[in-house]
Amino acid sequence: MKSLKDYMPFILQPQNIARIEGDVILIGDRRAYPLSQEFVSCASVEEVAVAIETMVTQGGGPVRAAMIAMLFLAGQADRGEVKKTPETFIEAKKRLQITRPTNTTMARVLERLVEIILNNLQKGNELAIEVNKFIEDFQKEYESYSFAMAETGAGLIEDGDGVLTMCFAETSFILAIALALEQGKNIKVFSPETRPYLQGARLTAPCLMEVGADVTLITDSMCAFVMSQGKIQKYMTAVDIVTSDGWAANKIGTFQNAVCASYHGIPYFPFAIDPDMTRKGRDGIIIEERNPEEVKMIKGIPTTRPDMKAYYPAFDIVPPHLIAGIITPKGLVSPYALKDVFK
Amino acid sequence: MKSLKDYMPFILQPQNIARIEGDVILIGDRRAYPLSQEFVSCASVEEVAVAIETMVTQGGGPVRAAMIAMLFLAGQADRGEVKKTPETFIEAKKRLQITRPTNTTMARVLERLVEIILNNLQKGNELAIEVNKFIEDFQKEYESYSFAMAETGAGLIEDGDGVLTMCFAETSFILAIALALEQGKNIKVFSPETRPYLQGARLTAPCLMEVGADVTLITDSMCAFVMSQGKIQKYMTAVDIVTSDGWAANKIGTFQNAVCASYHGIPYFPFAIDPDMTRKGRDGIIIEERNPEEVKMIKGIPTTRPDMKAYYPAFDIVPPHLIAGIITPKGLVSPYALKDVFK
């Protein structure tokens, strides 16, 4: 049986997301991709936090980067290089958690991981072994969840379909496309570029090419027109958070595509590995605002007057009535049925 | 009484759109603005056509550039530097017309102008004098139409409104904002950057700053989210063409904003100086497709793999049911009433 590794493009191979090498943590630099394959080297939890904040990694990347940072810290504690105290890990957890206010997956994984660390600290165990075990279990679960979601996603895609995505729906969506292609389905994927960070142009479209998909890059302003031409039958994205009552936040632009999909009678299916059952409704979602200077430039090149005012909400929110079904590890779930399925 | 000149930002002053200087035609380079104020120098109709095709000027610019090219050619014909025959002008007209398949305003103005030229050619008159008179009359009419539309537009904007635009709605819209400000209205304008050519970032937002408006630059993917936050009360754009039955085409992205405006209960008001009563419905509009390579780069910097497939329709089409009213020189007209008002 094939594993994730056999399908995943370079940038989504676990070791290329984040790994420890000697005295440092290497994080795959998603800002440089696909024009080059680079890694950012971090020598501390603080440096990993800054790397996450500066978009070295994004999407599902921060979860692994944060776990690897904890493994790194556990090793340092075991060797006596940092204080082997609860505070060391609680502080590291807090620092990492605030890097991503909208997507709460990493924050929740760190809660579980630090609980395990504190338990083992009390028992006087070697911490790195326990953290490593957690990461391996997490990865195994992640792989099985990804296949479950990808199979549901591939099943929703019909032969001849055009599929629109937004931002970087990474593992589950890329795998869904790969599986649909394996099933012999003729599909076309449209990838908006995703300004201002261009995740669509830099990550999604190249990764889809790597798995052999017929992918077309468009600007974020072309989605509705492409729908009106009859080129899109399914709209599929990742989400950064789904609340218990089916509100979903994802990269800015996802919402307006959902509105336009609804107008054109196209179903919207987000992939959510882990709905956040502790949050409810629009107000349960914190929208991260990034530096507005990023709206005024592209890859460092200014696009307007330097004294221009700009606004950069990094995510938007899709209400449940625009969601045809959420693709979860437990199958396709109505946004109104999450409470029953994820208790 | 104030004239257009008193309101218009640098790039919209007629002499900065296109003028003859000595042996050449100077066209204001809208690609370089606002970071610098440059002109492209053209020594023939062919060079003007290429300048229009390569986006040196756009929006309302090509109409004036084409008329100035005809004036230049008329002068050459009068002086015997080119053949003073109908073919000279008919060929020039055809060459200029094919530069802009979607916006038919320039094509229609050239029809009228070349008819006048051919009449005067038959009578043996000096051509440049006649062409110059046509341009002056056109400019006078344009100014009076612009004020009429801007007054209607300003009247629709209420104190405290947020106004979304798309691409470069230039004279009429900029003037509408200037007049609304003069009326003491507190308004905020949101300008999407308008990928891939960034007319919003480079032209609209800086021009609005020049006339003293409170303008915020956003990416094209943020429009619906900004609407959902209650920050937008009116959506106003130019249009490149309105058909006799109220279908409107404008820069790609205009349609998806219209869909999202409708979803949020926000009225959409396009400015149309000159509906094209010879065209009908969606099929009466030709959508210009530009070089897809432009989708894969920003200001010449590549954003993805060089072998990526891309698609670049330059305009999209808004159906009449999404238009609350068209701002014309004859006032605010229902898209379904154009046939009665423009006979």
Side-chain angles (χ1 to χ4, degrees), chain A residues 7-304:
Chain A
Y7 290 98
M8 283 300 104
F10 174 86
I11 203 162
L12 290 177
Q13 299 277 347
Q15 74 279 9
N16 295 333
I17 298 171
R19 67 173 184 267
I20 294 174
E21 205 168 282
D23 291 342
V24 294
I25 299 159
L26 295 181
I27 302 181
D29 191 347
R30 297 191 180 184
R31 300 167 308 181
Y33 200 77
L35 302 176
S36 66
Q37 295 176 349
E38 292 172 27
F39 289 83
V40 166
S41 170
C42 301
S44 66
V45 170
E46 175 59 25
E47 286 182 28
V48 171
V50 170
I52 294 171
E53 283 168 348
T54 55
M55 301 288 281
V56 172
T57 192
Q58 50 69 259
V63 183
R64 184 174 167 87
M67 290 190 302
I68 295 287
M70 283 299 185
L71 177 60
F72 186 80
L73 193 63
Q76 287 182 317
D78 287 339
R79 293 190 300 275
E81 295 165 17
V82 299
K83 278 190 196 162
K84 203 169 181 171
T85 63
E87 289 68 34
T88 298
F89 294 95
I90 290 167
E91 272 168 33
K93 177 192 78 173
K94 283 186 186 160
R95 176 66 185 95
L96 290 164
Q97 282 173 329
I98 58 161
T99 60
R100 281 283 173 272
T102 302
N103 187 328
T104 60
T105 303
M106 180 251 282
R108 287 176 288 146
V109 169
L110 286 182
E111 290 297 339
R112 284 159 53 200
L113 176 55
V114 168
E115 206 182 302
I116 289 166
I117 291 173
L118 298 190
N119 273 339
N120 281 285
L121 194 61
Q122 218 170 14
K123 293 179 194 158
N125 292 343
E126 286 284 288
L127 297 179
I129 293 167
E130 303 299 329
V131 175
N132 197 46
K133 191 175 165 316
F134 181 89
I135 294 175
E136 280 181 4
D137 288 349
F138 182 92
Q139 186 62 34
K140 235 176 267 170
E141 189 184 75
Y142 180 75
E143 178 143 351
S144 107
Y145 284 0
S146 296
F147 267 99
M149 289 194 288
E151 275 157 21
T152 299
L156 289 167
I157 299 171
E158 288 172 66
D159 187 35
D161 270 1
V163 180
L164 178 75
T165 188
M166 184 74 201
C167 198
F168 190 32
E170 55 166 83
T171 311
S172 307
F173 174 68
I174 305 277
L175 187 60
I177 295 297
L179 296 182
L181 293 174
E182 261 187 5
Q183 292 162 5
K185 291 171 183 168
N186 174 23
I187 52 179
K188 289 184 195 300
V189 188
F190 287 82
S191 172
E193 63 180 355
T194 320
R195 278 281 291 146
Y197 248 88
L198 300 163
Q199 290 95 332
R202 294 186 297 98
L203 305 174
T204 310
C207 283
L208 287 165
M209 269 187 88
E210 279 191 54
V211 302
D214 177 337
V215 58
T216 302
L217 182 68
I218 56 175
T219 66
D220 304 329
S221 53
M222 294 175 190
C223 303
F225 182 64
V226 171
M227 292 177 193
S228 77
Q229 294 180 303
K231 289 179 175 165
I232 306 295
Q233 281 67 46
K234 305 282 152 55
Y235 175 39
M236 293 180 160
T237 73
V239 282
D240 282 85
I241 183 170
V242 174
T243 63
S244 60
D245 49 355
W247 292 73
N250 190 43
K251 183 54 41 84
I252 190 82
T254 303
F255 167 53
Q256 67 189 37
N257 292 343
V259 171
C260 294
S262 166
Y263 174 86
H264 288 98
I266 298 163
Y268 170 44
F269 299 111
F271 289 77
I273 201 166
D274 187 23
D276 187 342
M277 302 311 286
T278 70
R279 309 252 175 167
K280 225 184 136 181
R282 168 179 290 273
D283 297 339
I285 299 171
I286 299 162
I287 295 294
E288 179 181 354
E289 281 190 30
R290 296 187 62 84
N291 185 348
E293 290 302 307
E294 292 172 6
V295 170
K296 296 163 58 179
M297 58 181 62
I298 293 176
K299 303 189 97 188
I301 310 284
T303 61
T304 193

Side-chain angles (χ1 to χ4, degrees), chain A residues 193 195 201-202 214 216-217 220-224 229 231 253 256 263 298-299 302-304 309-311 321, chain B residues 193 195 201-202 214 216-217 220-224 229 231 253 256 263 298-299 302-304 309-311 321:
Chain A
E193 63 180 355
R195 278 281 291 146
R202 294 186 297 98
D214 177 337
T216 302
L217 182 68
D220 304 329
S221 53
M222 294 175 190
C223 303
Q229 294 180 303
K231 289 179 175 165
Q256 67 189 37
Y263 174 86
I298 293 176
K299 303 189 97 188
T303 61
T304 193
K309 187 162 78 175
Y311 177 47
H321 74 268
Chain B
E193 63 180 354
R195 275 283 290 148
R202 294 185 297 98
D214 177 337
T216 301
L217 183 68
D220 304 330
S221 53
M222 295 175 190
C223 302
Q229 293 180 304
K231 290 180 175 164
Q256 68 189 37
Y263 175 86
I298 294 177
K299 301 189 101 189
T303 60
T304 193
K309 187 162 76 173
Y311 177 45
H321 73 268

Side-chain angles (χ1 to χ4, degrees), chain A residues 314-334:
Chain A
F315 300 87
D316 58 21
I317 303 173
V318 183
H321 74 268
L322 295 179
I323 299 174
I326 302 171
I327 299 170
T328 77
K330 300 188 180 187
L332 187 67
V333 179
S334 157

